Amino acid sequence: MKALTFSTFGDSAVLEYIEIPDPQLKNDEILVEMKAIGLNFADVYRRKGNYHLKGNPPFIAGYEGAGIVIDANNHSEYKIGDRVAFADVPFANAELVAVNVNHVLPLPENISFETASSVLLQGLTAHYLATDSHKTAKGETVLIHAVAGGVGQILTQISKLLGASVIGLTSSAEKAKIGFEQGADHVFLYNEDWKSQVFKIAPKGVDAVYDSIGSTLIESFDVTKECGQVVFFGMAGGDPAPVDPRMLMDGSKTLTGGDLWSYLNSKEERIKRATQLFHWISEGKIKLSEPTSFKLSEGKLAHDFLESRKSTGKIILIP
């Protein structure tokens, strides 16, 4: 099979599209022929050598995708030709992937391979943020950093579905427009005095802040009301400053960490959460931006485009 690989760490020039042996199935795995693969910043971090990475050189990144079963490996619940997807299976940047049966997500006929590979990681992240990390309640006001990003767009829509008002933050007027298109009630720019703007909307502060930037964590607390919550789930802008526990105590504020892998902890949980996401998409309650597609063999171009920060929707790779 062909795969997008790297044997040393570095910029996108280390990526190689090469022929490697097909996966050897273990007893608890089925073989999936990939039709679409999601590209995420975690794959860039893996390529650079600063994120968890499985296997040996030549390394294969990627954890998200969709395809069809071509070897059920004696697992009677699957048959050849079944449409499936996954959000947390390594070595996805290849024509063939061995998928643990506990990680298989049945793919409804009305959800395309491209949609599944566009939405699972970011959509399931948005889902747990709005329903577990913070249990969104009707009438709340929430602040979402990077509102035009992949998670931000879906988190905005889910927050609105659950009855919250949404204030978004982003870096440009073009991206602000995207935030409004997703349903945000207000969108402010980082280069403005956004904290003052937030207090004009929510004089006592917001109920919850979703912070994927990291370096903005203290500012997030500044605009959180007493008894409010900050959910920290990413470091796109760098490591956060240390948080003073006295500040948390004095304002009765809560800091919650968020990581998707903590919630995708069983076959039942994976299927339940993905089914809810697919249901919302099928009903038109969540609308997705059209993904930007690259051939898997054009992986270098895809990585460069992702790192350029010019993309606003999902980038997918097509074998």
Side-chain angles (χ1 to χ4, degrees):
M1 71 172 182
K2 289 286 187 69
L4 183 65
T5 72
F6 55 98
S7 294
T8 57
F9 300 123
D11 63 21
S12 63
V14 304
L15 292 169
E16 297 180 299
Y17 185 65
I18 60 173
E19 186 82 30
I20 61 171
D22 292 356
Q24 297 298 304
L25 294 181
K26 298 174 184 173
N27 289 336
D28 57 356
E29 293 176 335
I30 62 174
L31 190 63
V32 174
E33 180 183 280
M34 300 304 292
K35 297 298 184 182
I37 303 158
L39 179 63
N40 298 282
F41 261 105
D43 301 316
V44 172
Y45 303 150
R46 291 183 181 99
R47 189 200 73 215
K48 292 180 176 179
N50 52 19
Y51 202 64
H52 60 81
L53 182 64
K54 292 194 173 186
N56 300 296
F59 297 111
I60 305 172
Y63 268 74
E64 168 188 45
I68 59 172
V69 176
I70 61 169
D71 185 346
N73 197 21
N74 296 316
H75 291 280
S76 58
E77 66 266 44
Y78 303 107
K79 62 182 186 297
I80 292 173
D82 280 353
R83 304 170 78 253
V84 297
F86 56 80
D88 56 346
V89 176
F91 318 129
N93 287 348
E95 292 179 324
L96 303 175
V97 178
V99 180
N100 185 294
V101 291
N102 291 318
H103 295 243
V104 175
L105 301 172
L107 191 60
E109 286 294 334
N110 60 351
I111 302 293
S112 70
F113 298 119
E114 293 80 8
T115 294
S117 61
S118 297
V119 75
L120 279 170
L121 272 177
Q122 294 173 342
L124 291 173
T125 296
H127 180 270
Y128 88 76
L129 289 171
T131 60
D132 294 277
S133 295
H134 177 73
K135 296 188 184 301
T136 308
K138 189 174 183 179
E140 287 187 331
T141 300
V142 302
L143 177 68
I144 299 175
H145 284 271
V147 72
V151 173
Q153 291 186 38
I154 302 172
L155 181 55
T156 296
Q157 295 183 64
I158 293 177
S159 298
K160 294 293 292 184
L161 263 177
L162 299 175
S165 295
V166 173
I167 302 172
L169 295 175
T170 192
S171 59
S172 70
E174 180 187 16
K175 289 186 175 182
K177 182 181 177 185
I178 293 167
F180 283 121
E181 289 171 352
Q182 305 308 309
D185 299 278
H186 310 273
V187 181
F188 304 126
L189 303 184
Y190 284 114
N191 60 8
E192 300 173 340
D193 182 6
W194 60 266
K195 288 197 291 183
S196 295
Q197 304 271 30
V198 169
F199 280 119
K200 289 178 183 176
I201 307 301
K204 293 183 178 180
V206 299
D207 294 279
V209 179
Y210 297 101
D211 193 323
S212 57
I213 307 301
S215 57
T216 54
L217 194 64
I218 300 304
E219 293 173 296
S220 293
F221 275 110
D222 290 342
V223 298
T224 304
K225 73 176 190 180
E226 284 194 348
C227 302
Q229 181 180 16
V230 173
V231 183
F232 167 55
F233 70 102
M235 296 171 289
D239 286 325
V243 173
D244 181 1
R246 272 295 304 272
M247 178 272 293
L248 298 177
M249 182 183 76
D250 293 344
S252 299
K253 298 181 182 183
T254 302
L255 172 61
T256 301
D259 187 270
L260 176 60
W261 310 126
S262 302
Y263 296 94
L264 300 185
N265 52 18
S266 71
K267 179 177 183 177
E268 292 73 24
E269 275 297 308
R270 291 181 184 93
I271 291 176
K272 181 184 78 172
R273 291 171 185 273
T275 299
Q276 173 70 84
L277 199 59
F278 292 150
H279 186 62
W280 279 336
I281 293 168
S282 298
E283 289 189 327
K285 292 179 177 178
I286 290 179
K287 295 182 172 62
L288 303 174
S289 302
E290 193 70 26
T292 302
S293 299
F294 291 86
K295 294 178 182 176
L296 184 59
S297 58
E298 300 172 331
K300 180 185 183 303
L301 293 176
H303 275 237
D304 289 342
F305 186 56
L306 180 60
E307 289 187 273
S308 74
R309 304 277 180 174
K310 292 176 182 175
S311 61
T312 53
K314 184 75 172 189
I315 298 171
I316 61 174
L317 303 170
I318 308 296

